[in-house]
Amino acid sequence: MATAESTALIDVGILFGAVALAGLVANRINQSVIPFYILVGMLLSEYVVGRVDFPALLGTDSIPHGSDLALANTDFVHVSAEIGIVLLLFFLGLEFNLDRLIASKERIGKAGTVDLAINFGAGLLLGYALFGSFLAAFLTAGIVYISSSAIITKSLIDLGWIANDESDAMLGSLVFEDLFIAVYLAVATALVLGGGAVGEALGRIGVAVGFILVLLLLVYLGTEWFQRSLETDSHEFIVLRALGITVLLSGFALSIGVSEAVAAFFVGMAFSSTEHVHDLENLLEPLRDAFAAIFFFWIGLSTDPSLFLGVAGLIAVAAVATTPTKLLSGYLGGRIYDLSERRSVRVGLGMTTRGEFSLIIASLALSGAGTALPEPIARDVYAFAVGYVLVMSVVGTTLMQYSSTIESVVVPRLEAGIGSASPSSDD
Amino acid sequence: MTVYESDLPGVGKKFEVELEDGERLVIVTHNTGKREVYLKANPDADGDKLFEVSDRLARKIGTILEGAYFQPVQAEAVETMLSDDTYLEWYNVSESAEIAGQTLEEADIRNRTGVSIVAIQRGGDLISPPTPETVLEVDDTLVVIGEREECAEFETLLGDEV
């Protein structure tokens, strides 16, 4: 019988092999990789492979069965997934240039506020209707609000929309969402880790806000230090130092009850004003992608698909309710950017994809199981979020792929409607 | 002509160049350095992707478009092989070339390297065959014949090591 130690390496090998294969399949059929990473994780979990009794099926004892066959949810997988979260947010921070944001604050602010009001608002209502508690509603609101920067950006490039005017409106709204989600995660983490008690949650929010202020101060005053910290010709040293600083600060944040993701975001922001941005992007991108893939895999590994049965109705309701809200907010965002009817519709179609950040919120919900959230509700929110992301990532990428068909149906009607109301409004 | 520039957070930068007849050339510079070039039939049309190139190639294409590109024939890039091991090559005399400013006699190229300079292209003129008194000037293009080894040897005299 193999010991845990002797199978650790082969487990990690299976993990990477499975993720690589999932990526290949997703690529072949022109879909986003994220749902496939999750699905393959689910497939190899104790809940799926672990429940299959091969020996009984084949009448032999030589094949391991049950939990022996499933990939264990080890510390390695969990910590790698955490690093994936940290690197995802680190990159957001890195891309987040305050000057650029201020330069186009008006449009981004307007389009972003419309997006926030419609989708976060709808999420709050929906979450409260589905789960009946404020915290669950708050988490649901985050889950349905935040579009997937990773999937949408990649689709923009793949479809060639990146050269078109709609890319400005979409990327602008994503920036607003990303900034909001950094603050949101700080508050949500405090609420979840605060165990649900108002007093303690407030205390933790205080700590979180304090920590963010310290980080902001660090970002503001420490540019020179961050600049010097990576002053080396060796790629090896740049990667090691960047990881050292980022993971350590994120870990420290988590240890005092502040979201590691938020800390990573601010560390990324600190590096964004140094001259190393380009190097960091080039050198850390493959690392981010590898660890993010483990994160999605881990999400699958921790998901019992049979729980989907219980929340399938909720997922369906949410998908039906929140696809139109994104279509609407995207359309309005496009109009704020002075885009034509057709392009505004396209912004809406493009923004419906939800992905990585919804899953980060889901993992946060899970960590509050039994304390801030009653165990069954936490499990439901988690299963709901994973199922919802699976559905919405496929719906979103499909809507984008078939946008020209949809546009040809929708746009003439919109133009007819608007045209009769105010003939000159179309561009 | 107007050039519109916009940021693409998470991707890079986008430049839109107004061409004639309302066409637009769209250049997306990715953070990775990759460039994608699109053409739009009019400002409101979807972009048709023309091509994508690496950072290095993009810079080279850029200098050609600018009309500033003058780096005649790199040895590796274009070489004409006459027989098994005999090459006919073109070299540019750069500022840093050791032999710049010397006459062919002073430079003593045949004895030092084995190659023969069969012609010199200078501006629009062709000096063929050059005499021992011919002075090698910066920006001359030398047409050289010799064996592979000898050509390599000659390149060291030009100062642009490969």
Side-chain angles (χ1 to χ4, degrees):
Chain A
M1 197 66 212
T3 61
E5 286 77 22
S6 71
T7 62
L9 193 58
I10 198 166
D11 280 357
V12 175
I14 291 171
L15 187 167
F16 278 113
V19 169
L21 202 65
L24 184 76
V25 171
N27 224 350
R28 277 280 157 82
I29 59 174
N30 261 336
Q31 278 292 342
S32 156
V33 290
I34 292 176
F36 285 80
Y37 292 159
I38 301 173
L39 285 175
V40 77
M42 231 183 270
L43 198 69
L44 290 178
S45 72
E46 55 180 310
Y47 307 112
V48 178
V49 166
R51 277 181 186 153
V52 180
D53 197 0
F54 277 115
L57 288 177
L58 300 171
T60 164
D61 271 342
S62 58
I63 300 171
H65 63 100
S67 53
D68 285 347
L69 198 63
L71 211 55
N73 200 339
T74 56
D75 282 352
F76 172 81
V77 182
H78 189 191
V79 172
S80 303
E82 290 260 10
I83 296 176
I85 297 177
V86 164
L87 287 177
L88 278 171
L89 269 291
F90 175 77
F91 263 77
L92 275 194
L94 207 56
E95 288 293 345
F96 190 82
N97 187 315
L98 215 54
D99 300 334
R100 283 192 215 159
L101 186 75
I102 292 169
S104 46
K105 63 176 184 297
E106 209 162 300
R107 281 168 153 190
I108 291 183
K110 273 189 197 162
T113 308
V114 168
D115 179 26
L116 176 69
I118 294 180
N119 292 290
F120 200 83
L124 271 180
L125 294 176
L126 186 73
Y128 198 80
L130 297 179
F131 300 108
S133 89
F134 169 73
L135 185 54
F138 186 66
L139 293 174
T140 310
I143 290 165
V144 304
Y145 162 61
I146 182 106
S147 299
S148 168
S149 301
I151 300 178
I152 294 174
T153 305
K154 186 168 181 301
S155 302
L156 278 180
I157 296 171
D158 289 348
L159 295 172
W161 292 11
I162 196 78
N164 301 339
D165 295 337
E166 62 266 21
S167 67
D168 289 340
M170 292 172 71
L171 292 170
S173 305
L174 286 177
V175 164
F176 185 95
E177 289 189 359
D178 295 343
L179 185 65
F180 178 82
I181 217 67
V183 179
Y184 169 88
L185 278 176
V187 176
T189 308
L191 288 174
V192 168
L193 297 183
V198 176
E200 199 183 339
L202 282 178
R204 280 180 183 273
I205 290 177
V207 172
V209 170
F211 187 78
I212 288 178
L213 287 179
V214 170
L215 280 175
L216 268 177
L217 206 65
L218 198 70
V219 169
Y220 183 68
L221 298 175
T223 308
E224 198 157 317
W225 184 84
F226 280 103
Q227 171 71 29
R228 256 187 303 140
S229 70
L230 297 187
E231 218 60 76
T232 162
D233 288 337
S234 157
H235 284 174
E236 177 182 350
F237 289 163
I238 292 182
V239 170
L240 291 178
R241 290 179 196 178
L243 281 181
I245 295 168
T246 311
V247 178
L248 187 64
L249 276 172
S250 306
F252 173 73
L254 196 60
S255 74
I256 60 166
V258 178
S259 165
E260 75 279 26
V262 176
F265 178 83
F266 283 102
V267 176
M269 232 171 112
F271 278 117
S272 76
S273 45
T274 69
E275 288 161 19
H276 304 298
V277 182
H278 197 68
D279 279 342
L280 286 174
E281 278 167 352
N282 280 336
L283 296 172
L284 292 185
E285 196 182 82
L287 266 181
R288 175 199 65 183
D289 293 342
F291 281 107
I294 302 184
F295 166 66
F296 299 123
F297 183 89
W298 170 76
I299 287 282
L301 205 58
S302 317
T303 306
D304 180 353
S306 67
L307 288 179
F308 285 157
L309 289 177
V311 293
L314 307 185
I315 295 170
V317 169
V320 170
T322 62
T323 303
T325 55
K326 271 287 174 189
L327 289 174
L328 176 66
S329 64
Y331 172 78
L332 294 174
R335 299 300 292 179
I336 290 169
Y337 270 76
D338 287 331
L339 300 180
S340 64
E341 297 285 344
R342 188 162 65 93
R343 292 197 189 283
S344 301
V345 168
R346 222 184 251 188
V347 174
L349 293 172
M351 294 296 288
T352 50
T353 312
R354 318 301 206 277
E356 63 277 20
F357 301 111
S358 304
L359 293 174
I360 291 175
I361 299 170
S363 70
L364 186 62
L366 198 61
S367 68
T371 52
L373 286 166
E375 183 97 30
I377 290 196
R379 292 248 150 231
D380 277 355
V381 171
Y382 180 81
F384 162 77
V386 177
Y388 176 74
V389 167
L390 283 176
V391 171
M392 293 315 289
S393 56
V394 174
V395 167
T397 31
T398 310
L399 284 178
M400 282 178 95
Q401 273 164 13
Y402 292 98
S403 71
S404 54
T405 318
I406 301 171
E407 285 163 25
S408 64
V409 175
V410 175
V411 174
R413 295 180 188 192
L414 273 175
E415 282 177 345
I418 302 260
S420 59
S422 56
S424 61
S425 76
D426 187 28
D427 261 29
Chain B
M1 184 199 75
T2 316
V3 180
Y4 303 91
E5 181 190 333
S6 57
D7 279 309
L8 304 172
V11 180
K13 264 181 185 294
K14 182 172 80 176
F15 299 90
E16 243 181 284
V17 186
E18 276 183 355
L19 304 177
E20 284 159 25
D21 306 329
E23 282 188 327
R24 297 251 181 123
L25 195 68
V26 183
I27 298 151
V28 177
T29 304
H30 290 252
N31 290 328
T32 55
K34 184 175 85 175
R35 317 280 206 282
E36 286 182 295
V37 181
Y38 297 81
L39 186 67
K40 290 205 242 178
N42 59 64
D44 197 39
D46 286 339
D48 275 329
K49 186 159 162 180
L50 300 178
F51 59 87
E52 69 174 62
V53 286
S54 68
D55 185 42
R56 244 183 76 188
L57 196 52
R59 284 166 198 275
K60 195 164 271 183
I61 294 171
T63 53
I64 293 173
L65 291 176
E66 199 178 39
Y69 186 78
F70 185 63
Q71 192 186 352
V73 202
Q74 287 277 332
E76 265 88 1
V78 180
E79 51 192 17
T80 313
M81 209 163 70
L82 297 178
S83 64
D84 276 356
D85 196 34
T86 309
Y87 290 81
L88 186 60
E89 296 202 33
W90 285 255
Y91 290 103
N92 186 40
V93 180
S94 61
E95 299 264 8
S96 58
E98 178 194 325
I99 55 172
Q102 297 181 337
T103 63
L104 276 179
E105 193 170 16
E106 286 166 348
D108 201 17
I109 288 163
R110 172 110 48 115
N111 285 333
R112 286 165 73 186
T113 64
V115 304
S116 306
I117 295 179
V118 294
I120 298 174
Q121 169 103 38
R122 177 172 300 161
D125 303 331
L126 185 72
I127 306 166
S128 178
T131 63
E133 291 79 37
T134 308
V135 178
L136 297 166
E137 292 178 6
V138 171
D139 277 349
D140 278 354
T141 300
L142 310 181
V143 183
V144 164
I145 191 164
E147 288 181 6
R148 177 190 273 281
E149 295 283 300
E150 295 168 348
C151 290
E153 186 72 21
F154 176 67
E155 267 178 84
T156 63
L157 294 187
L158 289 171
D160 36 32
E161 298 271 331
V162 280

